[in-house]
């Protein structure tokens, strides 16, 4: 009870902060919306851009992979009245203010000490003592600003659906199998607005768009012995369970009735237990899933998880504008283009995983890593690193290296929730280790990134191994 009240108080405090820049925004003739190129960044930008549209305000969107000094100088050069930063900015408050930019920042990354700098508004869960990795995403912070901008109370509450897509895109529902903390307030807002529904269901990717046997075949977490990666076995398993596989087309999870779904879950649990998978891992098969009620059933945008993957497939390949169009309602040309990019993205992930399997993962004392060189794009190497846990040791975080177009070394690090509970903080480790070798890094406790000069890789690895060893008390 007390915890619920505390969460509500934090939500109210952030909502108050969101009201502060409203007059300034509404009196701006020329606004810039600056956001991050991933699913959370796109949904954040779309939430703000939609809110500005509804106010009749002119704006331009701009996307960056990270907000470093060069990016910030480019923002400053636009010479707009005001800049709204979403899903980035909290680490650069001092530099933003030093450039004289009038700014509202709605972010959830760990803030850097701002010194005396005071932006027009800073909305970030960390500032009210809430964890930005699990409790609120950039899109959640953006939603608070959009709600403050609404002409009438509740006017922008439908945008909570996009905020949930952002949170799911940043994997905020994975630690507990459901969204928690401040994110639950956002869920309530979205469902009260009729934009969202949430329920417990099978938590496998592709409920809306994949034939059921494919959904099972691609299940990697938990790995289902005898089913994962084996199409014929999945078809046979469903037939034995009494499921009709096709009607006019292959049936998807959303085409099945409740009895059929329950029969599959029961049979999966039984099979899993018989293969010796622990209860804890099998429980991950079930969790909360989020449905966007305004979207057509059987399409990617109906399901928060499939929607966020569709968006990553645009933004991570330099087509943020396509993802933004989709978030702002394009279900014609923009949507088709996004689907085409998604098909390519899938193929790239499969190829990336094959490469990791071939090259292998090198263990150190408390970390493990692989170097993809030029073979995996630096913008998706983090996703591949996360997926690599299916073949890697889950008792240490995984680091992945990829060469950037500029010849620098991109590092992506991913942990597990169990490791975070044991003290792992990859944002802290990467920012310290990268900082020590002349690079920059940051992010979240469970997922973080950095860019470093290529020649210092070994030194960087040694520092990372030692910092993570300390965090996990293995020294
Ligand atoms: O790029 P990747 O997916 O590995 O990034 C993981 C997280 O780390 C993201 O939230 C990203 O914003 C953050 N990051 C960062 N500083 C960097 C690279 C990534 O804060 N230099
Ligand atoms: Zn984010």
């Amino acid at each position: 009870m007390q915890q619920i009240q505390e969460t509500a108080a934090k939500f109210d405090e952030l909502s108050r902060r969101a009201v502060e820049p409203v007059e300034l925004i509404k009196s701006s003739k020329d606004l810039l919306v600056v956001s991050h190129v991933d699913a959370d960044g796109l949904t954040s930008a779309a939430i703000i851009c939609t809110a500005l549209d509804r106010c009749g305000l002119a704006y331009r969107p701009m996307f960056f992979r990270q907000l470093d000094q060069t990016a910030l100088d480019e923002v400053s050069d636009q010479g707009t009245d005001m800049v709204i930063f979403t899903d980035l900015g909290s680490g650069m408050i001092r530099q933003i203010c030093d450039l004289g930019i009038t700014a509202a920042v709605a972010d959830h990354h760990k803030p850097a000490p701002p010194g005396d700098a005071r932006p027009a508004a800073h909305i970030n869960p960390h500032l009210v003592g809430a964890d930005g990795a699990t409790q609120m995403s950039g899109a959640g912070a953006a939603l608070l600003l959009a709600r403050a901008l609404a002409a009438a109370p509740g006017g922008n509450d439908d945008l909570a659906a996009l905020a949930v897509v952002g949170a799911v895109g940043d994997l905020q529902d994975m630690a507990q199998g459901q969204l928690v903390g401040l994110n639950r307030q956002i869920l309530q807002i979205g469902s009260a607005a009729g934009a969202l529904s949430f329920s417990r269901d099978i938590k496998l990717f592709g409920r809306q768009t994949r034939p059921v046997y494919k959904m099972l075949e691609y299940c990697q977490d938990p790995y289902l012995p005898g089913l994962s990666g084996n199409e014929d076995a999945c078809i046979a398993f469903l037939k034995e369970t009494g499921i009709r596989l096709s009607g006019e087309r292959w049936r998807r999870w959303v085409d099945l009735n409740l009895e059929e779904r329950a029969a599959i879950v029961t049979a999966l649990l039984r099979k899993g237990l018989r293969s010796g998978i622990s209860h804890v891992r099998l429980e991950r098969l079930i969790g909360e899933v989020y449905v966007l009620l305004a979207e057509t059933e059987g399409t990617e945008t109906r399901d928060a998880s499939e929607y966020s993957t569709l968006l990553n497939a645009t933004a991570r390949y330099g087509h943020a504008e396509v993802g933004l169009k989709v978030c702002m309602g394009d279900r014609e040309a923009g949507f088709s283009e996004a689907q085409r990019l998604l098909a390519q993205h899938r193929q790239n992930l499969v190829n990336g995983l094959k490469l990791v399997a071939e090259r292998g993962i090198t263990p150190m004392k408390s970390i493990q890593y692989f170097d993809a060189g030029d073979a995996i794009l630096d913008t998706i190497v983090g996703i591949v690193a996360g997926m690599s846990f299916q073949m890697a040791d889950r008792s240490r975080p995984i680091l992945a290296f990829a060469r950037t177009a500029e010849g620098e070394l991109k590092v992506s690090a991913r942990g597990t929730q169990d490791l975070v509970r044991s003290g792992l903080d990859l944002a802290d480790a990467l920012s310290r280790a990268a900082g020590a070798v002349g690079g920059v890094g940051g992010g979240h406790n469970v997922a973080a990134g950095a860019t470093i000069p290529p020649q210092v890789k070994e030194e960087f690895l040694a520092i990372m191994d030692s910092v993570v060893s300390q965090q996990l008390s293995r020294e």
Side-chain angles (χ1 to χ4, degrees), residues 36 66 109 316 378 382 410-414 440-444 447-451:
H36 190 208
Q66 65 191 61
H109 292 90
R316 305 244 174 187
D378 61 311
K410 166 71 198 292
V411 191
S412 277
R414 296 292 186 273
V440 281
H444 308 291
T451 308

Side-chain angles (χ1 to χ4, degrees), residues 278-353:
S278 72
H279 272 102
V280 184
R281 301 201 78 188
L282 277 176
E283 272 167 17
R284 282 211 293 276
L285 277 171
I286 306 295
E288 202 168 64
V289 305
Y290 306 101
V291 176
L292 282 81
L293 296 172
E295 304 292 338
T296 307
E297 189 161 278
T299 63
E300 288 84 358
T301 48
R302 179 92 175 169
D303 175 85
S305 172
E306 292 198 62
Y307 198 156
S308 73
T309 300
L310 181 75
L311 295 179
N312 274 327
T314 67
R316 305 244 174 187
Y317 299 90
H319 298 288
E321 76 293 345
V322 176
L324 185 64
K325 274 187 199 156
V326 171
C327 290
M328 295 186 72
D330 181 331
R331 296 294 174 269
E332 307 284 332
F335 186 60
S336 306
E337 176 63 4
Q339 285 180 312
R340 193 185 62 76
L341 290 166
L342 177 64
Q344 275 178 11
H345 178 51
R346 286 228 169 93
Q347 194 54 53
N348 290 340
L349 294 182
V350 169
N351 294 346
L353 279 173

Side-chain angles (χ1 to χ4, degrees), residues 36 38 40-41 44 87 107-109 137-139 166 170 172 444:
H36 190 208
D38 66 4
D40 189 30
S44 303
D87 197 32
D107 190 7
H108 69 130
H109 292 90
S137 68
D170 271 0
Q172 301 205 325
H444 308 291

Side-chain angles (χ1 to χ4, degrees), residues 94-116:
R94 191 175 49 74
Q95 292 87 337
I96 290 169
C97 294
D98 281 352
L99 283 170
I101 299 171
T102 304
V105 178
D107 190 7
H108 69 130
H109 292 90
K110 275 214 176 117
D116 299 332

